[in-house]
C-alpha cells in the first residue's frame, strides 16, 4: 500500500490534487539517521530496504512525478505513463547527435562514497515520508509495494546500478580521450582537485554537490555553505571529464526532486518548474534520539534581495545534456521523471506573458549577477542560456505524440530568438555608427529604429572603445533602452551555443583579444565592462556597497568564467587565447587562495569581500585544464550553426496582410 506521512503547518491550503504534504519549512527530502546505529559522524542512515516502503530519495522520485488532472495535461503526458518507474523506450526518438565517450576510471574520492542513488530511507514507522514546506514543491508520492504501478516490464524498470552497468558497456569506450591518462597534472591542478574534494557535500552518505566556498577565514558564512546550481556546473564538468559521473547524476536527480511544483503568489513561492538557486543538507531531530538529513532548497525566498534564479533550470538542462554527451549514458535523460522535469522547466520558460519579444523577460538579479545591477528586462546572459537550453532540450525531449507540440514550440522559439538577438543585440563599429545617425519617433512597421533608441544613449566610452575589428552583443534591449555594457557570460554562451552568427562569434573573440587589458587584465575575466560609477552606480545599484565600481558584479573579474571562455575559444579555434588566460590563472589563483573575484580595472586585487577557496573558481580552472586536454570532449559541449533554425519562420503575419514579419523589415544581414 502507498504510505505517506503528512506534516502540515502552513496556513495555505494545498491543492488536494497536487500537494500531499506540507511543513513550515522548505521541501525536505528525508534521510533518517538513528543515533543507535552509529557509523561515521555518529549518525547513520536508517535504511529500510523493504521494497514495500517508499525509498528515499530516488525511488520515490522515480515514482514521484505523478500529476493529476490539468497538470498532467500541461505536459501532454498520457495518464498511463504516470507513476511508472522507467526509462522511456529508446525506440522513441530524440534529436541527439553523436554519442559520446565513457569516463576514465580514476581513484577519486567522490567514488569512495556509496555513490549510487539507491539510498532508501523510511520513517520510524517504516513509511516513507516526504515533507513539503511553505514553498510549493513536488507532490509527495509513494511507491507502492504492489506491482501494479503501470505495466512496467522488467526491462524498462532499470535499477540504477543495472542501468549504469548497461550504459557503461554501451557508451563508446573506444572514444575515450587518452589525454587524461597521458598528461601529468601540475601541482596546481593537484591542489585544486584536493580542494574540490574537500568541497563535496553528501546526503545520506552520497555525494550530491559541492559547497559554494570553503573559506574558514570568512566571518559571515551567509549561504556560501550551500550547493548552488550554477556554481556546481564547473565542478560537474570537471568530475565528468575526470570520469566521475555518479556525483553529477546524484546532483541532477536530487535537484530535480527539489523543483518547484505549485505556485502560491501570496506566499512568495516560485512558479511551477522553477529550480532552486541552491540547497543545503540539514540534519534534523525528528524524534527523541533520531536524526534525519533533509534537503532544504532556496528558491530565492531567503536570498538577499529575494531574487528568483531564472538561470538554475537552464543550467540544469545544460548539465543534463553534458552528462549524456560525456558519459554516453542517455538513459538518465530518457527517464520519465527527468523528461517531466525537463518539460516543466521548458513550460515555465515558454509560457506566454505580456511580452512581445522572443527573449525572456526577467527581474533584476535573476542569474549569476544576483543583485540589483540594472539587468532586469531581457538580459543577454539569460537569453544565451535560454537559447542553449532550448537547443539542449530539442536534443533530449523524447519525441512522441505528447511532445510534438512542445518540440514545435521549441523550434519556433529558437528561430525567433536567434533572429532577435543577432539582429538587435549586435553592435560593432558599423552598427554603432548606424545608431548614432538614427531617426527617432518612427511610427511604422518598416521603422529602422524599432525600439526608439535615442542616439544620445550611446555612451562616450563606447565611441572610443569599440575596435575596428570585432563586436559584441549588448547586455539588454528594451523599449528606448540599449544597455551597451559588455557582459562576458552572455557573450561567451552566445559563441558556444551559436546564438551568434559565425561572423559575430569570431568578432566577439576578436574584441576580447583587442581589449585584453580591459577584459582580462591580470586575472580572467571581467564579468561586465565598464563599471557603473558615480550617479549611475547610485541610481542603478541602489548604492550597493558590495557593487562599488570595479568590484564584484560591477566590473569585478571572476575566474570561474574561465571555463566558458576556454570552451568558446576552442570552438572558434582560438585555443591560444584560452591557454594565455589559463596560464594567468594558474600562476595567481593558488597564491591568492582561489578567491571568488578580483577588484580594480585590471583585476589587480583580490576582491574586497571575496570568499577564498571559492569552489567554482577552482572548478572552473580545473574544467578549463581538462577541456584543453580533451578537445574531442570539449567539442561535444558546443553547438554549430543550425540552418534549420534559420530557415524556420513560422510567422503568419505576412499571410494576414496586416503587418509584416520583422525579418523582412530587418535591415542587416544576420544569416552569415
Ligand atoms: C554570489 C554570486 C552568485 C553565486 C553565489 C555563490 O552571490 O553572485 O552568482 O552563485 O555567490 O557562489
Amino acid at each position: 500500500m502507498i504510505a505517506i506521512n503528512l506534516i502540515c503547518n502552513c496556513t495555505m491550503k494545498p491543492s488536494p490534487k497536487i500537494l500531499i504534504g506540507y511543513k513550515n519549512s522548505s521541501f525536505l527530502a528525508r534521510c533518517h539517521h538513528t543515533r543507535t546505529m552509529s557509523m561515521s559522524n555518529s549518525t547513520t542512515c536508517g535504511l529500510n530496504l523493504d521494497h514495500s516502503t517508499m525509498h528515499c530519495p530516488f525511488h520515490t522520485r522515480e515514482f514521484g512525478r505523478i500529476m493529476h488532472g490539468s497538470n498532467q495535461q500541461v505536459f501532454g503526458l498520457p495518464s498511463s505513463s504516470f507513476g511508472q518507474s522507467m526509462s522511456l523506450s529508446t525506440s522513441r526518438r530524440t534529436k541527439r547527435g553523436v554519442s559520446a565517450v565513457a569516463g576514465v576510471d580514476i581513484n577519486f574520492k567522490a567514488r569512495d562514497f556509496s555513490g549510487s542513488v539507491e539510498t532508501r530511507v523510511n520513517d520510524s514507522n517504516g513509511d516513507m515520508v516526504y515533507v513539503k514546506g511553505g514553498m510549493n514543491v513536488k507532490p509527495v508520492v509513494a511507491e507502492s509495494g504492489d506491482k501494479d504501478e503501470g505495466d512496467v516490464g522488467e526491462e524498462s524498470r532499470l535499477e540504477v546500478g543495472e542501468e549504469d552497468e548497461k550504459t557503461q558497456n554501451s557508451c563508446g569506450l573506444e572514444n575515450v580521450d587518452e589525454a587524461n591518462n597521458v598528461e601529468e597534472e601540475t601541482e596546481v591542478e593537484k591542489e585544486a582537485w584536493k580542494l574540490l574534494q574537500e568541497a563535496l557535500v553528501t546526503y545520506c552518505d552520497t555525494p550530491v554537490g559541492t559547497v559554494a566556498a570553503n573559506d574558514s577565514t570568512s566571518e559571515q558564512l551567509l549561504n556560501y555553505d550551500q550547493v548552488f546550481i550554477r556554481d556546481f556546473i564547473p565542478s560537474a564538468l570537471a568530475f565528468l571529464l575526470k570520469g566521475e559521473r555518479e556525483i553529477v547524476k546524484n546532483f541532477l536527480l536530487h535537484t530535480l526532486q527539489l523543483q518547484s511544483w505549485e505556485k502560491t503568489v501570496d506566499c512568495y513561492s516560485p512558479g511551477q518548474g522553477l529550480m532552486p538557486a541552491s540547497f543545503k543538507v540539514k540534519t534534523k531531530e525528528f524524534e527523541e534520539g533520531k536524526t534525519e538529513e533533509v534537503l532544504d532548497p532556496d528558491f530565492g525566498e531567503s536570498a538577499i534581495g529575494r531574487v528568483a534564479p531564472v538561470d538554475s533550470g537552464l543550467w540544469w538542462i545544460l548539465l543534463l545534456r553534458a552528462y549524456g554527451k560525456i558519459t554516453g549514458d542517455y538513459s538518465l535523460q530518457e527517464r520519465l521523471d527527468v523528461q517531466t522535469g525537463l518539460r516543466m522547466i521548458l513550460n515555465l520558460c515558454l509560457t506566454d506573458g505580456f511580452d512581445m519579444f522572443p527573449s525572456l523577460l526577467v527581474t533584476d538579479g535573476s542569474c549569476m549577477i544576483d543583485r540589483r545591477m540594472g539587468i532586469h528586462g531581457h538580459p543577454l546572459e539569460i537569453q544565451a542560456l535560454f537559447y542553449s537550453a532550448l537547443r539542449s532540450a530539442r536534443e533530449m525531449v523524447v519525441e512522441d505524440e505528447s511532445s510534438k507540440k512542445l518540440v514545435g514550440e521549441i523550434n519556433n522559439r529558437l528561430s525567433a530568438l536567434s533572429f532577435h538577438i543577432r539582429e538587435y543585440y549586435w553592435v560593432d563599429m558599423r552598427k554603432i555608427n548606424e545608431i548614432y545617425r538614427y531617426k527617432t519617433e518612427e511610427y511604422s512597421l518598416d521603422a529602422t529604429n524599432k525600439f526608439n533608441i535615442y542616439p544620445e544613449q550611446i555612451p562616450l566610452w563606447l565611441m572610443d572603445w569599440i575596435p575596428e575589428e570585432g563586436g559584441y552583443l549588448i547586455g539588454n534591449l528594451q523599449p528606448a533602452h540599449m544597455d551597451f555594457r559588455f557582459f562576458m557570460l552572455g557573450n561567451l554562451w552566445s559563441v558556444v551555443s551559436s546564438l551568434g552568427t559565425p561572423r559575430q562569434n569570431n568578432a566577439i573573440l576578436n574584441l576580447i583579444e583587442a581589449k585584453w587589458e580591459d577584459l582580462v587584465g591580470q586575472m580572467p575575466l571581467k564579468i561586465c565592462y565598464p563599471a557603473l560609477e558615480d550617479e549611475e552606480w547610485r541610481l542603478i545599484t541602489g548604492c550597493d556597497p558590495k557593487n562599488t565600481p570595479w568590484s564584484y558584479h560591477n566590473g569585478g573579474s571572476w575566474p570561474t568564467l574561465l571555463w566558458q571562455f576556454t570552451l568558446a575559444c576552442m570552438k572558434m579555434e582560438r585555443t591560444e587565447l584560452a591557454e594565455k588566460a589559463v596560464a594567468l590563472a594558474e600562476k595567481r589563483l593558488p597564491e591568492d587562495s582561489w578567491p571568488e573575484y578580483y577588484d580594480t580595472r585590471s583585476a589587480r586585487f583580490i576582491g574586497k569581500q571575496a570568499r577564498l577557496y571559492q569552489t567554482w573558481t577552482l572548478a572552473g580552472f580545473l574544467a578549463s585544464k581538462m577541456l584543453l586536454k580533451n578537445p574531442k570532449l570539449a567539442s561535444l559541449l558546443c553547438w554549430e550553426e543550425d540552418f534549420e533554425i534559420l530557415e524556420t519562420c513560422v510567422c503568419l503575419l505576412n499571410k494576414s496582410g496586416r503587418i509584416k514579419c520583422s525579418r523582412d523589415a530587418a535591415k542587416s544581414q544576420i544569416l552569415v
Side-chain angles (χ1 to χ4, degrees), residues 454-469:
Y454 299 106
E456 290 72 15
Q457 273 178 37
I458 302 174
L460 288 178
W461 65 263
L462 183 60
M463 307 257 226
D464 297 329
W465 192 72
I466 191 82
E468 292 288 334
E469 296 291 314

Side-chain angles (χ1 to χ4, degrees), residues 9-66:
N9 183 15
C10 177
T11 49
M12 288 300 301
K13 210 163 182 214
S15 151
K17 276 185 187 166
I18 298 185
L19 296 170
I20 303 178
Y22 264 95
K23 190 176 162 186
N24 197 19
S25 68
S26 305
F27 163 82
L28 308 168
R30 287 176 162 187
C31 169
H32 295 175
H33 289 210
T34 81
R35 285 196 198 129
T36 48
M37 297 169 60
S38 87
M39 274 170 63
S40 57
N41 303 332
S42 75
T43 56
T44 303
C45 265
L47 305 181
N48 183 330
L49 301 178
D50 179 350
H51 196 66
S52 67
T53 63
M54 294 202 295
H55 309 299
C56 171
F58 286 96
H59 279 249
T60 307
R61 188 204 48 259
E62 284 179 63
F63 287 89
R65 286 171 174 271
I66 294 178

Side-chain angles (χ1 to χ4, degrees), residues 212 224 228 230-231 367-368 370 552-553 558 596 614 616:
Y224 282 86
F228 278 75
R230 72 174 75 82
D231 292 40
C367 50
M368 176 183 179
D370 54 2
Y552 200 45
H553 301 142
W558 292 65
E596 181 184 12
Q614 180 82 17
W616 68 353

Side-chain angles (χ1 to χ4, degrees), residues 1-6 20-21 54 123 127-130 140-142:
M1 286 299 296
I2 291 174
I4 298 166
N5 274 12
L6 305 186
I20 303 178
M54 294 202 295
D123 74 358
D127 297 338
M128 179 57 219
V129 181
Y130 262 85
V140 179
V141 179

